[in-house]
Amino acid sequence: MKEVINIKNISKYFGKFKALDSVNLNVLKGEKVVICGPSGSGKSTLVRCINRLESHDEGEISVLGHSLTDDRTCLESIKSKVSMVFQQFNLFPHLTVIDNLTLGPIKALGVSKKEAKERALYFLDRVKIPEQAYKKPNLLSGGQQQRVAIARALCLKPEIMLFDEPTSALDPEMIAEVLEVILDLANDGMTMVVVTHEMGFAKKAADKIIFMDDGKILEENIPSIFFKKPKTNRSKKFLDQVLNH
Amino acid sequence: MKSFKYIFVFFFLASLASCSSSSGNWGWYVIDPTTKSGLANIKFLIGGFGATILLSIIAAFMSIILGLIVALPGFSNNFFLRSLNRIYVEFIRAIPLLPMLFWVFYGLPVIFQSLGLKIEIDAFWGAVITLAISDSAFTAEIYRAGIQSISRGQREAAQTIGLSQFQAMRYIIFPQALRRILPPLANQFIYIVKMSAFASVIGMQELTRRANEIVVTEYRPLEIYTLLILEYLILVLLISFAVRWLEKKLGSNESNSN
Ligand SMILES: Nc1ncnc2c1ncn2[C@@H]1O[C@H](COP(=O)(O)OP(=O)(O)O)[C@@H](O)[C@H]1O
Ligand SMILES: [Mg+2]
């Protein structure tokens, strides 16, 4: 199958601190990759390098055949093909839900207002909150806000979806509704990179699991083996911690 | 509740006025509307409102635009552009208004002349330009603070939905920053109104100039300057109420959309 993300030996520094240390990762079209690891291990940084919210210092990343560089045209070429869902939702508080969803397609992709609206309503339906379209985001629950954020990302018809701990800011009773939406998307064949500690979700959805610590990928494995027989002590310890909570 | 404070101020001034009958220090006749000359004086003094208001509004308007033009390079990734912003702000902010006014009114025409340009600056535009430039350093900083107060997550979300930097500013950052920018901008307008008094020294016939002219002919500084202060007080209080109203409106907006 086609390789959509190819990360070769990248490193990333924040000042002197090495946040990513020679990371290699390939993601195939339609593949679901779950990234886990302790806090501060570089998961967010890695994911943010893929859509260039951070730039890497060494190595190479190519996304959908485009090598990511400082060149502006590279941003143009992957723009909206890689979409992202943040831990803190980052909805636009001054816009209604529907305007949150249509802004990107209209302004960035040049889609007509009518089509953007149809698209938005379709995806709101898919994340199961069609009735909230004309409210401001702050009137919704956390789970609903995150589902709006997912719909907003989908409205761009991306080829790759990145999730950075999409349920970590949610109250426990809302986690399931968000995971269900993401799972639904996974079953639909979307290519996804998901940073999460929800191991139940990883078991169900992941094609492979990446375990990170100290800016390095310590283990890359398929879920069935990762959960039964983790390769390293650190991944074992990590699993004990998350599974017993 | 707040209005009690203002009522107290008026009461205080009114009681000052009432002293006049018992004390020889006061001569309120100069602005006694029941006498012909008093009424003429009052009319002359109040006649300055138009110029002060017009001067302030145009200067404020120019400052709001100029401030934005100055603020924008401050957000650039380019070091040179950012420096331009800092230098302008630090430099302009450091110049006292009065010397700047003299420089613009008396100095600038000399430069124009030496360049062979026939541009004349009258007192009105001299004052407008000076106030606008002087104030723009402050408005630029207000824009900066407002825009910086919007979280990085908003910018990143804008980027991930494909918006360009300009579009992100236009549709995401600026609209949210605006409600934090407007109240301090409106406050800045009060500053301009008060500073417009300096225009009197270059002959602009606004409130202060007119008061000075009557003082020179009537030798009654206490009464006339009291009235002058009252005139500014009324203006500033009106703006102040408008700002409160604006803050309240924006504030209630915020509580149901953030
Ligand atoms: N913008 C930044 N500036 C400095 N250090 C950062 C920045 N972003 C992340 N880091 C550091 O890089 C490390 C990895 O961060 P992150 O990728 O967010 O970890 P994770 O998502 O796995 O918790 C952390 O030690 C964090 O403090
Ligand atoms: Mg993180």
Side-chain angles (χ1 to χ4, degrees), chain A residues 173-191:
Chain A
E173 73 271 18
M174 291 170 186
I175 292 176
E177 66 187 49
V178 171
L179 288 180
E180 192 184 325
V181 165
I182 300 175
L183 206 57
D184 178 49
L185 213 60
N187 293 334
D188 226 33
M190 175 67 75
T191 310

Side-chain angles (χ1 to χ4, degrees), chain A residues 12-15 17-20 35-48 54 87 164-165 195 197 212 215, chain B residues 152:
Chain A
K12 163 82 188 165
Y13 298 84
F14 291 111
F17 177 76
K18 200 168 193 179
L20 291 178
I35 302 178
C36 61
S39 173
S41 57
K43 308 179 297 292
S44 298
T45 308
L46 175 59
V47 167
R48 289 159 59 84
E54 303 284 358
Q87 182 176 348
D164 189 1
E165 305 206 28
V195 177
H197 291 166
M212 289 186 74
Chain B
R152 196 171 75 153

Side-chain angles (χ1 to χ4, degrees), chain B residues 2 16-17 21 72 85 111 116 130 151 164 172 180 195 198 200-201 203 214 220 222 231 245 251 255:
Chain B
K2 278 242 174 74
L16 268 186
S21 50
L72 286 177
N85 162 273
I111 294 180
T130 308
S151 77
S164 68
I172 307 300
R180 290 176 204 182
M195 290 304 141
F198 278 115
S200 62
V201 302
I214 300 272
R220 277 283 163 201
L222 191 53
E231 287 175 314
W245 175 81
S255 65

Side-chain angles (χ1 to χ4, degrees), chain A residues 32 97 101 117-133 143-144 146-155 157-158 161 163 176-192:
Chain A
K32 288 90 183 119
V97 165
L101 268 61
K117 191 177 162 189
E118 281 167 8
R119 218 189 256 194
L121 292 173
Y122 169 78
F123 283 114
L124 275 182
D125 202 42
R126 270 205 74 173
V127 300
K128 307 187 187 77
I129 34 174
E131 71 284 359
Q132 312 286 2
Q144 289 174 326
Q146 191 60 301
R147 284 185 281 152
V148 171
I150 293 171
R152 180 176 69 181
L154 289 173
C155 277
K157 305 240 169 115
M161 286 276 282
F163 294 84
E177 66 187 49
V178 171
L179 288 180
E180 192 184 325
V181 165
I182 300 175
L183 206 57
D184 178 49
L185 213 60
N187 293 334
D188 226 33
M190 175 67 75
T191 310
M192 305 198 306

